[in-house]
Amino acid sequence: MIFPRHLLSVDDLDYDQAVKVLDTASELSKFSGSSIKKLPTLRGKTVVNLFFEDSTRTRISFEAAAKRLSADVINFSVKGSSVSKGESLKDTALTLGAMGADAVVIRHHFSGAAQRLADAGWISGPVINAGDGTHEHPTQALLDAYTIRSKFGKDSEGLSGLQVIIVGDILHSRVARSNVFLLTKLGAEVTLVAPPTLLPVGIENWPVKISYQLDPLLSSADVVMVLRVQKERMVQSFFPTEREYSRHYGMNSHRLKSLSGESILLHPGPMNRGLEIDALTADSSRSMIVNQVTNGVQIRMAVLYLLLSSQQVVGEEV
Ligand code: CP
């Protein structure tokens, strides 16, 4: 199977390629419990983590993933770098390229920054989008799909027939956008729940249902994905008060009781406990929030492996 050179958007992957990433992560997870976690697969390669925006889970899991595949890792964060002296993305990228970066993982506050890096050719190897503005976060969607698939036992298939609710700040969420397009590609039915002020323009063209009310949907959901209220991206007031937001859209122990069967709860993190989710719900047995973090390492190993393995042609090695 041929893989795209870069992973900038979930649209870069067709159905078979997306399933291949999930299957590869599943294979790689078999090594995570063994005493020797390292595989020699990417020995001699250098992966650069280029983070212009804060991150805990994504940055650390890409680092762990690269190291478990025996790659060398260079971590670049804006704080303490020459970016604070005004150095451009181009000059930063050329500098890292000159140091022998084989792949670059980039997080940036501008939507399209990863695409710019890939198109400009300042770096010779693959570019992986670790979140660009409000645009996309493809590896988050892949790890969410992997977490859902692992729970519902659909190992050799996509996510056909599963009902997924994504609730909260859709407007500012690259996680929502990537999940909508990946989960529906894999066969899930997605409903977005938010106040009208937190839905983006053009949402009617997305392959989803829309609801302004959460409660009527809970009993039929297999997955409830709660989004962080991204206060740092809000330049105006999108809801009257935080209490009002929580009352209508927050997942709490009362709403938890409305969930049925084996349904699960996801949150990409970091959480605003007490706003979009309460502590009892976040720490409940239905919560797979910690599993998402673990799965993030397997997914990022799979992505690095598939994009960096020789000639971009993936055989049956894994
Ligand atoms: N989910 C996510 O992207 O978390 P971080 O911002 O901590 O990387």
Side-chain angles (χ1 to χ4, degrees), residues 20 56 76 86 89 106 109 115 195 271 297:
K20 179 71 178 176
T56 298
F76 174 99
L89 175 61
I106 179 171
H109 41 278
Q115 183 82 52
M271 290 182 272
V297 178

Side-chain angles (χ1 to χ4, degrees), residues 115-127:
Q115 183 82 52
R116 176 80 182 115
L117 191 61
D119 290 348
W122 300 321
I123 302 276
S124 58
V127 174

Side-chain angles (χ1 to χ4, degrees), residues 54-59 107 130 137 140 174-175 268-270 300:
D54 293 342
S55 168
T56 298
R57 281 148 286 270
T58 312
R59 186 177 57 77
R107 170 168 289 192
H137 194 350
Q140 178 70 44
R174 54 198 178 205
V175 173
R300 285 158 182 142

Side-chain angles (χ1 to χ4, degrees), residues 38-296:
K38 269 198 167 186
L39 300 172
T41 321
L42 297 184
R43 188 174 290 153
K45 303 281 188 192
T46 299
V47 175
V48 173
N49 282 329
L50 183 54
F51 276 65
F52 289 82
E53 211 184 57
D54 293 342
S55 168
T56 298
R57 281 148 286 270
T58 312
R59 186 177 57 77
I60 292 173
S61 62
F62 264 113
E63 181 176 355
K67 285 180 173 170
R68 285 189 197 170
L69 294 172
S70 301
D72 294 318
V73 180
I74 297 173
N75 286 313
F76 174 99
S77 63
V78 165
K79 291 185 188 93
S81 79
S82 287
V83 172
S84 60
K85 300 175 197 163
E87 188 160 41
S88 65
L89 175 61
K90 175 179 179 176
D91 288 329
T92 305
L94 288 172
T95 301
L96 295 170
M99 289 179 186
D102 293 295
V104 172
V105 177
I106 179 171
R107 170 168 289 192
H108 204 287
H109 41 278
F110 285 131
S111 300
Q115 183 82 52
R116 176 80 182 115
L117 191 61
D119 290 348
W122 300 321
I123 302 276
S124 58
V127 174
I128 300 168
N129 183 1
D132 62 327
T134 58
H135 176 228
E136 281 239 23
H137 194 350
T139 58
Q140 178 70 44
L142 285 162
L143 77 88
D144 291 336
Y146 180 67
T147 304
I148 296 169
R149 197 180 77 157
S150 310
K151 167 68 187 179
F152 291 96
K154 291 174 173 279
D155 264 2
S156 57
E157 322 162 30
L159 306 175
S160 56
L162 292 177
Q163 299 291 327
V164 179
I165 292 174
I166 303 179
V167 56
D169 182 2
I170 312 288
L171 178 66
H172 300 103
S173 180
R174 54 198 178 205
V175 173
R177 181 184 293 266
S178 288
N179 263 298
V180 162
F181 291 100
L182 182 67
L183 299 183
T184 54
K185 188 182 308 226
L186 293 172
E189 292 172 27
V190 178
T191 303
L192 301 180
V193 184
T197 49
L198 286 177
L199 290 169
V201 173
I203 193 88
E204 61 279 3
N205 298 320
W206 292 21
V208 293
K209 293 182 197 152
I210 306 289
S211 172
Y212 305 138
Q213 290 185 300
L214 178 58
D215 290 313
L217 304 173
L218 290 173
S219 63
S220 55
D222 297 300
V223 178
V224 178
M225 183 184 297
V226 183
L227 298 175
R228 186 168 67 87
V229 174
Q230 299 195 35
K231 294 185 220 173
E232 75 279 14
R233 296 193 202 274
M234 294 184 177
V235 290
Q236 64 185 81
S237 193
F238 289 88
F239 42 82
T241 63
E242 291 193 355
R243 182 189 285 241
E244 181 81 356
Y245 179 88
S246 295
R247 198 158 68 80
H248 289 287
Y249 299 103
M251 270 309 288
N252 53 37
S253 46
H254 176 67
R255 290 197 165 106
L256 205 55
K257 291 190 191 120
S258 302
L259 296 176
S260 66
E262 296 294 298
S263 55
I264 59 168
L265 199 87
L266 304 179
H267 190 304
M271 290 182 272
N272 295 307
R273 285 181 185 243
L275 178 50
E276 71 264 3
I277 191 166
D278 73 5
L280 277 173
T281 309
D283 301 331
S284 71
S285 58
R286 291 199 191 260
S287 167
M288 297 198 73
I289 297 169
V290 175
N291 307 65
Q292 286 173 274
V293 178
T294 307
N295 293 340

